[in-house]
Amino acid sequence: MLKLETELQGKQARFGDIYPILLERNITLCGNWEYDEAMFDGVLSKDGEETIYLRIPFDVISGMLEDPETQIVFGQPFVLKHVLNIGLDHEGDDLLATTGLNQFQSPEEKDGPIRRKSHWEEEGERVVQGIVESFPLLDERHIG
């Protein structure tokens, strides 16, 4: 995992204002979320079984997640590499495992080693900077 130094960390936004801007960049709400914290997730690179993701964690300050009025505060973005498990999932559902179609298999490596670290740090920071620049209403207050 590569932690990114960006201007986004600590800034606040309304979910309904920021989410369309993220969707324009193919950054979506990560599927594993809680009502008080979650992550936005975007693919920086996909090459065969390896995928490099940009993840932007955030906490809910007020409201309920996915409500447009919900106020969120961003955590520190990071870059992460997953290596997919293409083979059979021997611990999963037998029917799905025998067909090899279990889309819910765990990655072979959730945080695989990243080659060209400085390249991916720069790429992640570039994407995050584009978000910051396209959304001038981000509130710079930090939550104490």
Side-chain angles (χ1 to χ4, degrees):
M1 173 178 29
L2 305 173
K3 293 182 178 183
L4 305 178
E5 298 300 323
T6 71
E7 296 176 31
L8 187 61
Q9 185 174 352
K11 295 197 179 200
Q12 296 179 22
R14 280 186 18 194
F15 184 85
D17 292 336
I18 194 71
Y19 198 46
I21 290 168
L22 295 170
L23 287 174
E24 289 174 5
R25 290 166 172 72
N26 295 316
I27 299 172
T28 61
L29 184 61
C30 202
N32 274 342
W33 53 268
E34 301 292 329
Y35 287 99
D36 60 345
E37 63 182 8
M39 284 191 234
F40 293 115
D41 196 28
V43 174
L44 294 176
S45 173
K46 185 161 179 60
D47 184 16
E49 301 162 0
E50 297 182 355
T51 305
I52 306 232
Y53 292 96
L54 169 64
R55 295 240 160 110
I56 305 172
F58 67 91
D59 291 320
V60 172
I61 299 169
S62 65
M64 296 195 53
L65 193 53
E66 293 190 298
D67 180 328
E69 298 300 317
T70 294
Q71 191 75 13
I72 63 172
V73 62
F74 292 98
Q76 184 172 21
F78 59 94
V79 171
L80 180 73
K81 178 175 133 182
H82 279 195
V83 179
L84 295 179
N85 181 359
I86 301 298
L88 299 177
D89 182 2
H90 298 289
E91 296 176 15
D93 181 281
D94 291 338
L95 177 60
L96 292 175
T98 56
T99 63
L101 297 176
N102 188 352
Q103 64 178 335
F104 302 108
Q105 292 184 63
S106 296
E108 188 172 294
E109 291 181 79
K110 287 185 179 182
D111 189 7
I114 298 176
R115 292 181 208 83
R116 302 182 326 154
K117 290 180 182 185
S118 62
H119 168 78
W120 293 115
E121 285 174 342
E122 290 172 12
E123 182 65 13
E125 289 170 356
R126 182 190 65 76
V127 171
V128 172
Q129 185 60 34
I131 294 165
V132 170
E133 289 172 1
S134 68
F135 193 67
L137 298 178
L138 285 171
D139 186 343
E140 298 195 24
R141 290 176 292 169
H142 291 270
I143 302 302

